[in-house]
Amino acid sequence: MAEQDPTTTGQEKGLAQASRGAVERAGGDVAAPPARRSLLPAPGQGFGVTFGQMFKKVTTEQYPETPKVTKPRYHGRHVLNRHPDGLEKCVGCELCAWACPADAIYVEGGDNTEDERYSPGERYGRVYQINYLRCIFCGLCIEACPTRSLTMSNDFELADDNRQDLIYTKEQLMAPLLPGMEAPPHAMRLGDDEKDYYVREPQQGSAAEPVTVERA
């Protein structure tokens, strides 16, 4: 034994005890390292990977001269959508802010009046902000939206050198007015009740909004 040999130094005794303790904790013999399957030395294997990559075709993207084409379901910059008459779909419920795991969305709701109406129903999103310094583009906010107001576009060019400019406001997130839309505030054009907006059949030939048929 190494502990009983008078010629064994203290360092050797410590190494022997540590190895014996490792074997005991493992519950048996220490497994031998796996045998190498290649006849080449380890440095040769490493350089082989390097040289193998050198002769492969390099993919070069001419960005930003040639814009990158993203997938149709790419999670990019958010958009607050409108109804076909221009009223906002957002009702200020704040469910998107509650669902955001990064606390990147801030919403303040406001009350609609007959003289100043921004959305069908009682409330609308008076203040809407998204902090893209925090946003992780997970898409949980659009899943939580009950009116399909918040969606994500294919726009990914959000880099900036000013932190304040990366906090997008409601005016920056609102979808543009398409033909046939009127900028709010204005009265409801699609019916006298909010159900005429959320429970209705699509209009044929209307490109303002893709509406799906409500099923019972």
Side-chain angles (χ1 to χ4, degrees):
M1 297 292 292
E3 292 84 348
Q4 299 174 356
D5 190 353
T7 61
T8 304
T9 63
Q11 182 178 6
E12 293 175 348
K13 291 182 180 180
L15 293 175
Q17 293 176 356
S19 61
R20 187 174 66 255
V23 172
E24 293 176 355
R25 287 192 298 270
D29 296 335
V30 178
R36 297 179 64 244
R37 299 181 180 180
S38 176
L39 298 179
L40 292 175
Q45 294 183 6
F47 283 114
V49 175
T50 302
F51 288 119
Q53 296 293 328
M54 289 175 60
F55 298 102
K56 289 186 177 180
K57 183 179 179 181
V58 178
T59 302
T60 303
E61 296 182 357
Q62 302 298 331
Y63 180 84
E65 288 77 10
T66 303
K68 182 178 177 60
V69 179
T70 59
K71 299 297 182 180
R73 295 176 63 87
Y74 178 81
H75 283 185
R77 184 178 63 86
H78 298 75
V79 176
L80 290 173
N81 297 298
R82 301 176 183 269
H83 289 287
D85 61 350
L87 289 181
E88 303 168 3
K89 286 188 174 183
C90 180
V91 294
C93 64
E94 303 181 21
L95 288 178
C96 54
W98 283 99
C100 180
D103 195 20
I105 302 178
Y106 176 75
V107 183
E108 284 186 10
D111 294 330
N112 286 312
T113 62
E114 294 302 327
D115 298 330
E116 192 174 7
R117 175 173 294 279
Y118 292 89
S119 69
E122 297 181 358
R123 294 174 62 79
Y124 73 100
R126 185 176 63 86
V127 177
Y128 201 103
Q129 296 178 356
I130 296 182
N131 188 345
Y132 282 108
L133 296 169
R134 293 183 175 183
C135 179
I136 59 176
F137 299 92
C138 61
L140 292 178
C141 52
I142 64 176
E143 298 292 338
C145 182
T147 61
R148 194 59 179 168
S149 167
L150 188 65
T151 55
M152 301 183 79
S153 66
N154 293 68
D155 184 15
F156 61 90
E157 296 177 324
L158 297 173
D160 208 306
D161 57 359
N162 187 359
R163 297 176 65 89
Q164 184 65 32
D165 293 339
L166 288 172
I167 301 177
Y168 277 50
T169 61
K170 176 182 175 180
E171 291 74 20
Q172 296 172 286
L173 297 171
M174 284 301 305
L177 292 170
L178 298 179
M181 293 184 178
E182 180 184 355
H186 62 75
M188 292 187 288
R189 306 284 191 242
L190 302 182
D192 299 331
D193 191 83
E194 60 180 309
K195 291 184 179 180
D196 297 326
Y197 283 79
Y198 296 110
V199 185
R200 60 187 174 85
E201 294 185 358
Q203 298 178 0
Q204 297 295 332
S206 176
E209 177 198 28
V211 185
T212 57
V213 179
E214 184 73 18
R215 297 181 179 178

